[in-house]
Amino acid sequence: MDIIYVLDILGTFAFAISGTLVASDKKLDLFGVIIIAFVTAVGGGMLRDVLINAHPINWIGDLNYLYTIFAAVLFTFLVKSKIGYLSTTMFLFDTIGLSVFTLLGLQKGLAYNLHPLVALIMGMISAVFGGVLRDVLTNKVPLIFEKEIYASACLIGGLMYLILSYFRVDENINFIISAAVVVSIRIVAVKLHLELPKVKYDLFTRFKK
């Protein structure tokens, strides 16, 4: 079992915990919690695999993903009473999943001989669309559509991976460094309240007269 696969399982576990925390906060029943944990953990990867025509789709070809999701739901309920529903807890697990899935999606895109730019976008899709599905299903505005630095952190981390790959840095070391870049950007952005600039552009006002 190589380190990339281990990180994939850990990313699935982290995202499933993130989904479970959100669903639990929304007071969904057990079935609802499992569904939200599932789409959060594997939704982005499924969309990526559909877009690049990769078969079997990630979790279908490996039941360890399903076992990991069920374990994450159980783990969350066992420890939730001790940690409480803390936004920092969800942020931590969401960020870990974000970093891991960005790079796994990028790697898979490259393995399917996609252009590096397209593979980079596939990495972002892998990372953020599970969270988008989670937020839509729980009636929240997805982070990717808000001002928070989220998808851009994925793109920067993915770009770092491509640069280090060009210089033939060991794959495992590259993965860890690039994942750390995504995590660091997210943490710094939240701590310092950094935001992407808003676009204020009124087409009708511009062409008035």
Side-chain angles (χ1 to χ4, degrees), residues 124-138:
M124 183 189 69
I125 288 174
S126 301
V128 305
F129 271 86
V132 169
L133 291 171
R134 174 198 66 206
D135 292 343
V136 168
L137 291 174
T138 55

Side-chain angles (χ1 to χ4, degrees), residues 36-55:
I36 298 301
F38 175 81
V39 299
T40 305
V42 299
M46 281 197 295
L47 178 59
R48 174 204 65 216
D49 288 350
V50 168
L51 289 173
I52 66 177
N53 197 29
H55 297 287

Side-chain angles (χ1 to χ4, degrees), residues 93-135:
F93 286 105
D94 187 74
T95 300
I96 292 172
L98 192 74
S99 63
V100 171
F101 284 176
T102 295
L103 302 176
L104 291 173
L106 171 57
Q107 286 182 330
K108 192 157 190 176
L110 293 173
Y112 274 72
N113 297 316
L114 300 180
H115 186 280
L117 177 59
V118 178
L120 181 60
I121 294 172
M122 288 299 125
M124 183 189 69
I125 288 174
S126 301
V128 305
F129 271 86
V132 169
L133 291 171
R134 174 198 66 206
D135 292 343

